[in-house]
Amino acid sequence: MHALRNIHVALAPDGVLVDTQPVSARPPVASNGGELGTLDMRDWLDTIHAVDERFAETVAAALYELEHESWFVVTDTYDNGPECLDIVSGWRGTRVPPEVMQRLAASTSPVSVQQAVRLRLLRRAP
C-alpha cells in the first residue's frame, strides 16, 4: 500500500491511475504449427492477489475510487521459439514447463503468448 499512497500524493487532484496486470494462470503458447503448451504463472497470481489486497486497503482508506475495470486478451508475438523462451523465462512468477521449453527451443516459426490482462482506472479521491 506504500506505493499507492506515494502515487496518491504525487497524482493531481481528480487524477486517474491506470493499473494493468496480466492475470492468466496458464497462458497458451502457440506457433504456426499449433499450440506448444502453456506457461505456469500461478506464482505470479500470488503477487496479483497481494496487489489486490493493497488495492482494497487504499479504496477502503478512501484514497482512490474504482472508476472502471475491464479484461482483455493481449497477444505477445516473438520471431521464434528461442526468443520467446529467453523473454518469458525472465518473467517474475513464471515457470516454463520442460516440455514447453523443449518445443520453444526447437521452434523456428513465430510464437505467440496470449494473456488475459486486467485494466483498472482508479480516480484519486480528494
Side-chain angles (χ1 to χ4, degrees):
M1 187 157 114
H2 182 67
L4 290 171
R5 286 188 185 277
N6 288 344
I7 293 168
H8 181 268
V9 170
L11 198 59
D14 205 36
V16 175
L17 172 64
V18 177
D19 173 52
T20 61
Q21 300 290 339
V23 292
S24 299
R26 295 192 178 273
V29 180
S31 72
N32 293 343
E35 189 164 321
L36 300 175
T38 62
L39 302 177
D40 182 351
M41 294 183 69
R42 291 175 293 174
D43 287 346
W44 172 252
L45 289 183
D46 291 341
T47 300
I48 296 304
H49 293 309
V51 167
D52 288 346
E53 288 174 12
R54 301 304 172 263
F55 169 77
E57 290 173 12
T58 60
V59 170
L63 295 178
Y64 298 96
E65 298 169 358
L66 178 61
E67 188 168 284
H68 174 79
E69 181 172 322
S70 60
W71 294 52
F72 52 95
V73 174
V74 171
T75 302
D76 295 316
T77 304
Y78 305 93
D79 290 337
N80 54 50
E83 178 189 31
C84 177
L85 181 58
D86 182 52
I87 292 172
V88 302
S89 294
W91 289 355
R92 181 176 171 200
T94 302
R95 190 177 74 74
V96 182
E99 64 278 4
V100 176
M101 193 177 296
Q102 290 173 349
R103 291 177 192 134
L104 284 171
S107 178
T108 58
S109 300
V111 172
S112 64
V113 177
Q114 291 192 330
Q115 296 186 71
V117 173
R118 178 184 62 204
L119 168 74
R120 293 190 290 203
L121 302 178
L122 311 169
R123 171 104 24 216
R124 182 187 188 272

